[in-house]
Amino acid sequence: MVNGAFFIQVGIIIIFFLNPETLNSTSQYLYTDSLSQSVQEATIGFRLIGVGIANFGGGIIFGLYLLSLTAFMVHDKQRINFTFTLWWLLVALISFLIARSSLVAIFLSLLYILLKGRREFIKFISQLILVIFIFLLLVMSTTDVSALLDSDIIRWGFEFLFSYFEAGEATTASTEHLLTMYILPDNHLTYIFGDGRFFDPVKGEYYMNTDVGYLRLIFYVGIIGMITFIQFVWTITTGICLPKSFLSKIPYYFFIFLIISNLKGFVDATQFFGIFLAFVYMKRVGAIAWQK
């Protein structure tokens, strides 16, 4: 069911990418608040966008799905085949072109496969190289490569490479902007208890104009609240670990991904975890019923 939902989402993303007019005509219905809509509209043309999937948050959702897909694939070694590898690459590419921060999930996915077994990793990488080779051949034979490399979406996705070869420094505009958002509180009470604000109601933007996840939590509920939030996420993480299933280890990778991602923006993926909580609950209830 989850795979089907993401399959549909991938189809919508591709349609929006190939036909921007469809995206423009539906953008007003995809978001309920003006801030999200304005951010989404500003990224049309150089980021992939889906239904409720855009920017940093969309990258998080696809990154978590990529990790789930990896665990599901590796759990049954027979699934490490051409079809699964092709789907993995497509999801990884889309997540990257939604938000470059999803690179963390891609690296964690590869690490997960590597730690699961050297043989599985070599098999997967071999198939991945083959899929990438075929994909590049198709692109080169059907597309103007020079125009593609000069397109907004490619230049944005690989901005750090273009920056390195053109300016001698591997950096991105968003990274430089992110560094300006590391704004610390100016009093002890805010550090401890926060200011109780997540958004600035007057300016209609993030409070203190920072997008950094940990800083937003500190300004909102202080360090105490931030630690409580992290503990809450950790509790859910351990709660969805199910021995002898594809959920035996991958939740810890979820947690690492979320912890790192909060250095960039605020991430609350408890809704995503709810799917696995339901799965674990049904498995455990089924096991209890079987024992009775």
Side-chain angles (χ1 to χ4, degrees):
M1 183 175 67
V2 175
N3 281 326
F6 275 89
F7 185 80
I8 294 172
Q9 186 69 259
V10 166
I12 293 173
I13 289 172
I14 293 174
I15 291 173
F16 282 168
F17 173 68
L18 296 177
N19 190 358
E21 290 301 320
T22 304
L23 175 59
N24 289 329
S25 62
T26 58
S27 62
Q28 59 180 317
Y29 305 108
L30 300 181
Y31 297 92
T32 56
D33 60 280
S34 58
L35 179 60
S36 297
Q37 184 175 346
S38 62
V39 171
Q40 181 256 331
E41 290 175 347
T43 61
I44 292 177
F46 65 91
R47 284 191 192 222
L48 295 183
I49 297 173
V51 177
I53 298 290
N55 305 311
F56 179 70
I60 294 297
I61 294 173
F62 261 79
L64 289 170
Y65 172 66
L66 182 67
L67 287 168
S68 307
L69 178 67
T70 302
F72 186 69
M73 177 179 65
V74 174
H75 180 66
D76 184 350
K77 298 176 182 178
Q78 297 299 321
R79 295 194 183 103
I80 304 180
N81 52 42
F82 184 84
T83 303
F84 252 83
T85 303
L86 177 62
W87 179 239
W88 187 95
L89 178 63
L90 182 60
V91 172
L93 181 61
I94 287 177
S95 65
F96 174 70
L97 293 178
I98 291 174
R100 291 171 300 201
S101 53
S102 61
L103 268 175
V104 176
I106 296 173
F107 288 138
L108 287 174
S109 296
L110 294 174
L111 178 63
Y112 180 86
I113 299 173
L114 176 62
L115 295 180
K116 273 294 184 178
R118 182 179 177 183
R119 180 179 298 178
E120 288 77 13
F121 183 74
I122 293 175
K123 179 180 179 181
F124 176 75
I125 292 298
S126 300
Q127 292 182 353
L128 186 62
I129 292 174
L130 176 61
V131 170
I132 292 175
F133 179 72
I134 295 173
F135 175 75
L136 290 177
L137 283 180
L138 290 174
V139 170
M140 293 174 66
S141 61
T142 59
T143 309
D144 184 347
V145 177
S146 59
L148 178 64
L149 291 176
D150 199 44
S151 63
D152 291 337
I153 192 168
I154 295 298
R155 291 193 66 87
W156 173 82
F158 298 92
E159 183 183 359
F160 57 97
L161 290 178
F162 284 101
S163 175
Y164 177 76
F165 288 110
E166 294 175 358
E169 184 179 4
T171 186
T172 65
S174 62
T175 302
E176 296 296 327
H177 182 59
L178 176 65
L179 294 176
T180 66
M181 291 187 175
Y182 274 83
I183 305 167
L184 299 177
D186 57 5
N187 64 85
H188 298 303
L189 287 178
T190 299
Y191 269 110
I192 299 173
F193 301 109
D195 292 338
R197 290 187 177 182
F198 211 53
F199 292 93
D200 189 324
V202 178
K203 297 180 180 179
E205 58 188 26
Y206 296 144
Y207 183 61
M208 297 302 293
N209 197 31
T210 181
D211 194 22
V212 179
Y214 294 115
L215 292 179
R216 292 189 69 192
L217 282 171
I218 290 174
F219 279 114
Y220 185 40
V221 290
I223 292 178
I224 295 176
M226 182 187 70
I227 294 174
T228 303
F229 172 78
I230 295 174
Q231 178 61 44
F232 172 69
V233 176
W234 174 253
T235 301
I236 297 179
T237 299
T238 56
I240 62 176
C241 290
L242 189 64
K244 298 181 180 180
S245 76
F246 76 100
L247 285 174
S248 60
K249 298 286 178 58
I250 200 64
Y252 298 114
Y253 288 77
F254 293 163
F255 184 77
I256 294 172
F257 178 45
L258 297 180
I259 289 297
I260 295 175
S261 297
N262 268 288
L263 293 169
K264 169 70 169 64
F266 176 68
V267 180
D268 177 13
T270 51
Q271 303 96 326
F272 186 88
F273 283 8
I275 300 173
F276 299 109
L277 283 172
F279 174 80
V280 171
Y281 174 78
M282 288 187 292
K283 283 288 185 180
R284 288 176 175 169
V285 169
I288 293 173
W290 182 81
Q291 290 175 0
K292 290 181 178 180

